[in-house]
Amino acid sequence: FQPDDKLCALVDALKDSFPILIVDDGSGGEGCADVFARAQALGAAVIHHRVNLGKGIALKTGIAHIVQLDADIPGVITADADGQHSPADIARIADAMAEHPDALILGTRDFSKMPARSRTGNTITHFAFHASTGLDVSDTQTGLRGLPRNLFPQLLELAGERYEYEMNMLLAINAWGARFYEVKIDTIYIDGNKSTHFHALKDGLRVFSRVMKYAVSSLVSTGVDYALYLLLTSFDFNVA
């Protein structure tokens, strides 16, 4: 959404190693149109949303396009357009996908190198996610991920239109019977992350609410199971 020259630099660095698909999420404006045209001239394929629909929808648009394009592709790597994900780290994700072809690959950042606001939000979400799911995912908000082909059907059906889609993906790991594998990546924040379209309050609450909803649901289910256990054990089922 509304990328600048950093997108073209990323495409230029990756074009000899990967086929590249860009989803324009309704950016609009001549400046953005020029960026997408230059990225396309460098070899990237570009598909467009007429209006801004959100990151979750954009990711599903990209996956659906790839499914139709190539039935044999082993998976995709999702990367941000703003320079936060280096070509070297993207290559590391690809290597991990080759070693763990059926796992969800997560690029994990060093929280100590994040700006204070991002570090606090990520730390709280990490602990809440771990407490509610039992999964120790180091970086729940990373956008650099390797998505294996075996999960494409579930990813296309997964709820979430905006940034919460990526959290929903992690919350679904247990239900899908999926595995995840983490790869350490560089922690890059350009100009204090001023170019991000992530709104700390609105989008942060949307993401965190998914974790809380999952936690409450888990607690209710546990309470119901325990109540039924107590109820059943209070009866004598011995037959004369």
Side-chain angles (χ1 to χ4, degrees):
F1 180 63
Q2 297 180 342
D4 57 22
D5 289 340
K6 291 189 286 292
L7 173 60
C8 294
L10 183 62
V11 171
D12 193 34
L14 296 173
K15 64 183 181 182
D16 295 328
S17 302
F18 301 97
I20 302 168
L21 174 65
I22 296 171
V23 181
D24 163 25
D25 190 22
S27 299
E30 292 184 5
C32 292
D34 178 65
V35 170
F36 290 121
R38 285 189 285 127
Q40 196 164 13
L42 288 168
V46 182
I47 54 180
H48 303 271
H49 288 164
R50 294 182 62 185
V51 296
N52 180 252
L53 299 176
K55 187 174 185 180
I57 298 294
L59 289 173
K60 284 183 274 192
T61 295
I63 294 169
H65 180 83
I66 289 169
V67 168
Q68 294 177 353
L69 190 69
D70 187 347
D72 297 321
I73 191 169
V76 299
I77 298 170
T78 63
D80 292 350
D82 59 2
Q84 283 204 54
H85 301 140
S86 71
D89 283 333
I90 291 170
R92 290 189 186 99
I93 298 296
D95 290 341
M97 293 182 75
E99 294 178 10
H100 309 274
D102 294 327
L104 174 64
I105 309 299
L106 304 172
T108 61
R109 300 163 293 176
D110 184 347
F111 284 13
S112 69
K113 297 180 180 179
M114 292 180 178
R117 184 178 64 178
S118 298
R119 181 171 63 250
T120 300
N122 278 274
T123 300
I124 292 172
T125 305
H126 163 74
F127 281 112
F129 180 88
H130 187 197
S132 59
T133 66
L135 298 175
D136 192 12
V137 175
S138 301
D139 187 352
T140 59
Q141 297 186 49
T142 179
L144 183 57
R145 304 182 180 197
L147 311 180
R149 182 174 185 83
N150 65 296
L151 292 182
F152 281 3
Q154 295 95 316
L155 290 167
L156 288 172
E157 295 295 327
L158 185 66
E161 297 181 353
R162 298 188 178 275
Y163 290 101
E164 76 276 8
Y165 175 77
E166 291 175 314
M167 177 57 72
N168 289 345
M169 190 187 303
L170 300 182
L171 291 170
I173 287 176
N174 284 331
W176 291 346
R179 299 181 299 111
F180 71 93
Y181 182 81
E182 297 184 330
V183 177
K184 290 184 178 180
I185 62 173
D186 290 336
T187 307
I188 302 172
Y189 281 85
I190 300 172
D191 294 330
N193 207 28
K194 291 180 180 178
S195 64
T196 184
H197 296 286
F198 185 91
H199 297 282
L201 182 59
K202 182 176 65 177
D203 292 321
L205 287 174
R206 182 180 286 117
V207 170
F208 193 69
S209 69
R210 296 308 187 273
V211 182
M212 291 297 95
K213 182 179 179 180
Y214 185 94
V216 171
S217 177
S218 298
L219 287 172
V220 170
S221 296
T222 300
V224 170
D225 289 343
Y226 187 64
L228 286 174
Y229 171 77
L230 291 177
L231 179 63
L232 292 173
T233 54
S234 68
F235 290 95
D236 185 359
F237 290 101
N238 291 325
V239 179

